[in-house]
Amino acid sequence: MSDSDLLNSNFVAWMDSREGSESDIVISSRIRLARNLQFITFPYFMNAESGNKSMQEIKDAWKNSESELLSAMDLIAFDQTSSLDRQILVEKHLISPEHGLSEEAYRGLLVSKDGSIAIMINEEDHLRIQCLLPGLQMEKCYELAQEIDDELEKSLDFAFDEHRGYLTSCPTNVGTGMRASVMLHLPGIAISGQRTRIFQNINQLGMTVRGLYGEGTEIVGNYVQLSNQITLGQTENEIITNLGIISRQIVEQEKMLRRNLQEEMKYQLEDRVGRAYGILTNARVMSSNEALALLSDVRLGVDLGIIKGISSLVINQLVVAIKPAHLQRRSGGEMEAFIRDVKRAEVIKEILLKSSK
Amino acid sequence: MFCDDCKQKPATVHLTQMANGKKIDMHLCTECAAQKGFLLFDNNKKFSIPNFLGSFLGSDFNLQDVHSLASTSNCSNCGMSFADIRQTGKLGCSECYKAFDTELEPTLRRIHGNSNHVGKIPLRGGERVFLQKEMGELKLELQQAIKAENYEQAAEIRDKIKELEKVINEEGSR
């Protein structure tokens, strides 16, 4: 099974920073479409009977589809996976943390070999079609999601109302059912203490800011997820265009602040980057939050050419490789927190030294 | 939806428990929930995301509301009441949107600042919606033509509208 690559390696499509524009600041772009089947109870209230029915319909649609895109995907049913495997999918951003806790046969994931398309089955909605690509490429994500949506719609009766649009479990998603988001790495804005100023009015623009793993997660390692809040009364194109405009403005701000740092605080900046690299390649015990903060500095050093030889792809992989489930997969078993911190320091050292040679 | 325990009364209390990393969902009627000691939040209202969303869906949730609303109509497809929806912040099925259309209207406005969909329409089953959208556009064009005193064009648009009306009526009677 090819999903073993997604479960065993550190790589997934969105990490490939050679693709997509502005990838020194925009880590990845994502489109998520929420779709539901007519009449079947929504997943939140689902029992085994309605769950199996919805899973079966989706399975049939996938199996009978003539689309190459769909038939090249793999189905992972959650009763067939370990909780460690599901946690690995969470850490790679392919499923939500809540979905990772489910272990029913009727919940699962349809995923492409490289992880660029991931359809969560019976999460909060019957289907959540996600497309995740590196850098700023909202339009391409949307095209891909559209293709999957149109293909599935050929055989599935999606719940749709002419006034309310696509009907979703939560009223916050009704209408387009679309959430468009970008993952931004913003050390320049953070170091200059501008984050509050830049993001304080973002809600008024119909956007919202979250941490690495979406809803309810804190901002660590200067990673910020920006997404649309409104799904009703705007077209998909308007949503994407708005998000694109705001993302580009933030990218410009970040670039300007990075230039300022380079020009006015050259020594302090190089010192900070060098120290981060020094700690990461010499420490023996490393917590997840410390690692993320230091990797953010190293990444900034890579982006600005202060550190040479390390690619941002390596940093993207490291950010995921140091998460608990990935560490446990690497060392072949469950580990208590302290042992994980030791293992984490080892992995970082190994990967950084290997790639900077 | 009926109570998981007695399987007789409608489930009004929905619980998600986390134990050893496992998620357990329970749907109980008020009586069974009280028996199991799950009604502690009655006089100890804590802030939670469902409650927060629930308050989007009307007044703050409390048990009195459940009792007073329990008698109003339920969704004919899944049996969910509006009290359930308010409590969880989630709808039960696609048909809940029709059953609670009036109740949801202010909520949708509050969340989105708008309550009408203008985005994508599914290709299948969406023909009627598509035609109606086209009709709306033609009517707008007609108004503009009349305003501009372009009567020749207005007559053409009027004919198109008549034709389209016929098509829509045929679709509807099928």
Side-chain angles (χ1 to χ4, degrees):
Chain A
M1 262 275 279
S2 66
D3 60 79
S4 60
D5 285 347
L6 287 175
L7 293 173
N8 292 320
S9 81
N10 289 332
F11 181 77
V12 60
W14 62 261
M15 293 174 176
D16 197 350
S17 49
R18 290 163 300 184
E19 241 194 84
S21 66
E22 311 287 4
S23 58
D24 52 339
I25 295 168
V26 184
I27 308 298
S28 60
S29 305
R30 176 203 299 261
I31 291 284
R32 189 219 68 199
L33 300 176
R35 297 289 184 260
N36 284 287
L37 305 173
Q38 221 179 344
F39 304 121
I40 300 180
T41 307
F42 289 157
Y44 188 81
F45 299 102
M46 195 166 245
N47 55 23
E49 194 195 334
S50 47
N52 291 333
K53 189 161 187 281
S54 137
M55 178 55 122
Q56 195 55 49
E57 285 194 18
I58 294 165
K59 227 178 178 170
D60 289 345
W62 161 62
K63 281 196 172 151
N64 300 332
S65 165
E66 284 162 11
S67 135
E68 279 172 34
L69 214 53
L70 268 171
S71 46
M73 291 170 81
D74 295 304
L75 178 73
I76 305 174
F78 283 175
D79 62 332
Q80 308 286 329
T81 53
S82 64
S83 66
L84 184 66
D85 282 349
R86 294 193 300 272
Q87 206 49 45
I88 283 189
L89 296 172
V90 173
E91 291 175 357
K92 285 201 164 81
H93 298 282
L94 296 172
I95 62 174
S96 65
E98 299 77 39
H99 205 40
L101 294 172
S102 318
E103 46 191 20
E104 294 94 344
Y106 58 82
R107 298 192 209 264
L109 177 74
L110 254 176
V111 64
S112 67
K113 306 260 184 279
D114 65 351
S116 59
I117 307 168
I119 308 174
M120 289 193 278
I121 300 172
N122 292 330
E123 198 241 19
E124 192 183 286
D125 294 295
H126 292 141
L127 287 153
R128 286 200 160 184
I129 305 166
Q130 314 175 89
C131 291
L132 243 158
L133 295 173
L136 190 57
Q137 37 182 344
M138 226 62 248
E139 286 79 10
K140 195 166 171 209
C141 280
Y142 181 59
E143 269 169 38
L144 260 179
Q146 282 294 305
E147 198 178 331
I148 298 281
D149 185 35
D150 290 344
E151 189 57 34
L152 288 172
E153 191 224 302
K154 285 182 188 165
S155 52
L156 293 173
D157 282 320
F158 285 155
F160 181 86
D161 176 275
E162 52 188 287
H163 299 299
R164 307 295 191 212
Y166 288 96
L167 305 177
T168 54
S169 165
C170 186
T172 50
N173 295 314
V174 78
T176 57
M178 185 172 92
R179 191 80 60 208
S181 64
V182 283
M183 181 73 72
L184 305 163
H185 180 236
L186 304 173
I189 288 175
I191 292 171
S192 357
Q194 303 277 331
R195 197 156 67 201
T196 326
R197 183 184 69 81
I198 289 174
F199 288 112
Q200 65 186 349
N201 294 323
I202 210 88
N203 288 26
Q204 289 169 9
L205 300 167
M207 303 281 155
T208 178
V209 173
R210 296 176 171 141
L212 257 181
Y213 287 89
E215 210 167 322
T217 59
E218 55 176 332
I219 294 172
V220 283
N222 301 321
Y223 287 105
V224 166
Q225 205 186 101
L226 181 71
S227 60
N228 65 305
Q229 205 165 25
I230 290 168
T231 54
L232 191 61
Q234 286 183 346
T235 65
E236 286 83 355
N237 276 330
E238 282 171 334
I239 294 172
I240 292 170
T241 310
N242 285 348
L243 189 73
I245 291 172
I246 293 172
S247 303
R248 284 199 180 83
Q249 279 175 355
I250 295 173
V251 166
E252 283 316 310
Q253 290 270 332
E254 172 69 21
K255 278 186 181 162
M256 191 192 77
L257 291 166
R258 285 185 185 187
R259 267 198 306 274
N260 284 355
L261 286 174
Q262 263 181 310
E263 282 161 14
E264 287 158 30
M265 299 174 75
K266 186 176 177 328
Y267 291 105
Q268 292 97 317
L269 179 68
E270 289 181 9
D271 179 68
R272 183 175 172 138
V273 169
R275 278 171 193 269
Y277 184 78
I279 296 173
L280 285 171
T281 47
N282 286 284
R284 295 300 309 275
V285 185
M286 177 79 58
S287 76
S288 178
N289 278 357
E290 186 187 5
L292 284 171
L294 294 170
L295 280 172
S296 172
D297 289 344
V298 167
R299 195 189 163 109
L300 179 64
V302 169
D303 291 342
L304 297 177
I306 299 168
I307 295 180
K308 294 197 173 67
I310 299 177
S311 70
S312 41
L313 166 66
V314 168
I315 310 284
N316 282 344
Q317 286 185 289
L318 252 180
V319 166
V320 169
I322 58 164
K323 296 275 158 58
H326 277 82
L327 282 178
Q328 291 179 22
R329 170 56 37 88
R330 199 176 253 263
S331 52
E334 255 183 63
M335 291 185 287
E336 57 168 297
F338 179 73
I339 307 292
R340 268 206 312 260
D341 287 354
V342 173
K343 183 74 188 170
R344 181 175 295 117
E346 241 176 74
V347 169
I348 296 171
K349 187 177 177 179
E350 185 195 314
I351 294 181
L352 279 182
L353 290 180
K354 196 169 74 189
S355 64
S356 57
K357 260 178 201 158
Chain B
M1 168 182 266
F2 290 107
C3 172
D4 285 350
D5 215 7
C6 66
K7 306 208 176 355
Q8 312 230 318
K9 296 193 185 101
T12 52
V13 179
H14 307 281
L15 294 156
T16 303
Q17 272 198 324
M18 300 289 298
N20 301 324
K22 282 187 187 172
K23 199 170 83 175
I24 305 165
D25 285 320
M26 274 184 284
H27 311 287
L28 303 167
C29 67
T30 356
E31 278 85 337
C32 291
Q35 264 178 15
K36 288 177 181 285
F38 283 137
L39 285 184
L40 293 171
F41 53 84
D42 189 10
N43 43 20
N44 181 20
K45 275 199 271 173
K46 275 190 193 150
F47 178 82
S48 70
I49 295 295
N51 264 342
F52 176 65
L53 258 177
S55 64
F56 249 124
L57 291 157
S59 74
D60 229 359
F61 162 71
N62 62 47
L63 268 183
Q64 264 68 46
D65 286 345
V66 174
H67 290 310
S68 63
L69 276 163
S71 56
T72 60
S73 66
N74 292 27
C75 169
S76 60
N77 184 51
C78 70
M80 202 72 62
S81 70
F82 193 64
D84 294 335
I85 293 173
R86 240 207 246 184
Q87 184 188 349
T88 56
K90 301 222 165 34
L91 284 89
C93 70
S94 56
E95 305 315 292
C96 287
Y97 277 93
K98 284 191 202 100
F100 306 110
D101 188 65
T102 15
E103 289 91 335
L104 284 168
E105 174 78 24
T107 306
L108 294 175
R109 283 188 176 280
R110 228 172 308 167
I111 298 171
H112 300 282
N114 203 305
S115 61
N116 269 318
H117 178 60
V118 292
K120 186 180 178 181
I121 295 165
L123 297 170
R124 210 161 50 90
E127 296 93 348
R128 198 185 151 78
V129 187
F130 189 78
L131 293 175
Q132 272 163 350
K133 207 176 168 187
E134 203 180 318
M135 176 71 95
E137 280 161 16
L138 279 176
K139 282 185 176 161
L140 207 74
E141 272 178 42
L142 180 64
Q143 275 177 6
Q144 281 163 351
I146 293 173
K147 231 184 195 170
E149 298 185 4
N150 193 343
Y151 297 114
E152 217 168 292
Q153 199 197 352
E156 266 172 43
I157 299 171
R158 193 199 51 212
D159 291 346
K160 273 191 204 163
I161 290 179
K162 272 190 184 155
E163 250 170 67
L164 195 62
E165 258 170 3
K166 238 201 269 171
V167 178
I168 291 176
N169 285 337
E170 277 165 20
E171 280 272 328
S173 60
R174 252 199 310 192

